[in-house]
Amino acid sequence: MKQYYILVLALFTSIPFYAQIGINTEFPKATLDIKASLVTSHIAGMQAPRLTLAELSSKGNSLYGASQVGVIIYITSISGGDNTGQRANITVPGYYYFDGASWQKLGAFDSSDISSEIVGDIKYSFSTGDHDGWYLLDGRAVSGLSPSAKISATELGFTTNLPDTRDRVLQGKADSEVLGNKGGSNTLSIVKENLPNISLSGTISGTSGSGGAAHTHTFSGASAIGGVAHTHAFTGTSANGGAAHTHTFSGTSANGGAAHTHTFSGTSASAGDHTHNFNQPQEQNTTHRGSPDASAISVDSHQVRKTSSSGAHTHTFSGTSGSTTHSHTFSGASASTTHMHTFSAASTNTTHAHTFSGTSLTGGAHTHTATGTATVPTGGSGTALDNRSPFLTVNTFVYLGL
């Protein structure tokens, strides 16, 4: 054990030694020669100074220089600190030596080290659970992670839960988005604005009918005339049951229930000469015969005489015919397959318009022919579309370190 004490003195004093030092050997073959102990309970090996990347970053980029060429350290965690300056090559936990300018990996790293995982890396895998510092992104609580993984997750911004990537694809971050946020939907529904700007063509046919029952059409309006003024007084109803028909009418025009008279007057005119015949004198009896000129007058018979006229003349007459209450009765029938009813009356002498309103009545089923814009249904049911492309199901992992 003599060599052991010499090593202790060499490490903790400034007294220079110029001999070779051996540990567990009396014949060191190098400046420091350490021989492993064969005692089964003895822990063999040598440990270099251990630091996390965060602890090494806190020392800055000027502490290590030319005098520290060959210095060896072991990085236990890379969850903190930075990879700038002398630490650019520190990407995984392991041994590093200082070459005077930067830290270099020491020796051969294992396969996981060679892949150079960095906290926050994402990978797809058929692995079903956490492994080698990779944690399944299943939305679990950060509080349930290992202490070092919890630190790494917090540094990535996941303080409550890890992201849940199940049934989702990954999207590159846009400037306004936050890492770990979720969006989108696995299904979508088409709305009117998503349809092409086209007109659907279709054929429509049908009958707009009364359903077999009578119905009415109400109308109103005004017709104007720009010619000779006139008026129309009319009232009535035209009916048509869809086939030839007749109109039977009868009635009485009454004078209001009291006697009345008709007054008339006029003049009879003649366009030329004419005469009037008359008897002259009146026939006489034998008692009063007298002695007239027998050659001119006969008392035993009428004597016809004529007046003479010098030209055309007229006779004026007037009178009144009297009557008690009376009425005029009329009846009849008109038949037609296609007909019109016309009502008209007196006319006045000013320009005017005709304003009319009323209801045309029908007593049976009929049809209307219509033209216009028709709405053609698509026949769809509004079922949502699957918004996912063909896919292969895998698990997504994030590297949080060992």
Side-chain angles (χ1 to χ4, degrees), residues 3-13:
Q3 292 86 350
Y4 176 78
Y5 294 113
I6 295 175
L7 176 62
V8 172
L9 290 175
L11 293 177
F12 294 98
T13 68

Side-chain angles (χ1 to χ4, degrees), residues 12-311:
F12 294 98
T13 68
S14 59
I15 301 174
F17 290 86
Y18 301 97
Q20 294 176 326
I21 299 174
I23 299 178
N24 293 332
T25 180
E26 295 181 357
F27 306 102
K29 302 297 190 293
T31 303
L32 176 62
D33 186 0
I34 303 175
K35 185 177 180 180
S37 172
L38 300 180
V39 179
T40 57
S41 62
H42 183 270
I43 300 174
M46 183 180 66
Q47 286 187 324
R50 287 159 290 177
L51 297 168
T52 65
L53 179 57
E55 292 169 337
L56 181 60
S57 298
S58 67
K59 295 180 181 295
N61 285 309
S62 61
L63 182 63
Y64 292 87
S67 299
Q68 283 74 45
V69 173
V71 168
I72 299 174
I73 60 174
Y74 185 87
I75 298 297
T76 60
S77 172
I78 60 170
S79 61
D82 59 68
N83 300 97
T84 62
Q86 297 174 344
R87 299 172 299 279
N89 299 323
I90 301 179
T91 57
V92 294
Y95 283 101
Y96 290 85
Y97 71 92
F98 190 70
D99 66 0
S102 61
W103 293 97
Q104 303 292 339
K105 291 183 177 69
L106 178 62
F109 286 77
D110 62 23
S111 59
S112 61
D113 295 332
I114 295 173
S115 62
S116 302
E117 294 93 346
I118 299 176
V119 171
D121 282 353
I122 295 292
K123 76 172 183 179
Y124 295 115
S125 175
F126 288 111
S127 297
T128 58
D130 303 340
H131 58 279
D132 302 326
W134 292 94
Y135 289 81
L136 183 64
L137 290 175
D138 56 1
R140 77 182 80 177
V142 171
S143 59
L145 302 177
S146 67
S148 60
K150 187 185 303 182
I151 294 173
S152 297
T154 302
E155 291 174 349
L156 292 174
F158 308 131
T159 57
T160 305
N161 295 85
L162 291 180
D164 189 351
T165 61
R166 290 174 293 183
D167 202 19
R168 291 185 177 274
V169 296
L170 303 187
Q171 171 198 274
K173 176 185 177 300
D175 292 340
S176 60
E177 294 176 326
V178 177
L179 286 173
N181 278 6
K182 294 185 294 186
S185 174
N186 287 333
T187 61
L188 59 86
S189 297
I190 295 178
V191 298
K192 180 179 178 181
E193 288 74 13
N194 300 131
L195 295 175
N197 185 18
I198 61 175
S199 297
L200 296 177
S201 60
T203 301
I204 60 171
S205 63
T207 300
S208 65
S210 63
H215 65 283
T216 59
H217 302 272
T218 301
F219 57 91
S220 63
S223 63
I225 183 170
V228 177
H230 61 283
T231 60
H232 300 276
F234 62 91
T235 181
T237 300
S238 64
N240 189 334
H245 62 284
T246 60
H247 298 275
T248 301
F249 58 90
S250 64
T252 300
S253 63
N255 68 348
H260 64 281
T261 61
H262 300 276
T263 302
F264 58 90
S265 64
T267 301
S268 64
S270 174
D273 295 342
H274 64 281
T275 61
H276 299 274
N277 292 332
F278 62 91
N279 294 326
Q280 183 186 12
Q282 183 67 33
E283 182 180 350
Q284 303 296 313
N285 56 41
T286 56
T287 304
H288 301 88
R289 183 182 298 271
S291 58
D293 184 357
S295 61
I297 300 173
S298 174
V299 297
D300 295 322
S301 61
H302 292 297
Q303 301 297 305
V304 178
R305 294 290 185 267
K306 294 182 179 180
T307 62
S308 62
S309 175
S310 59

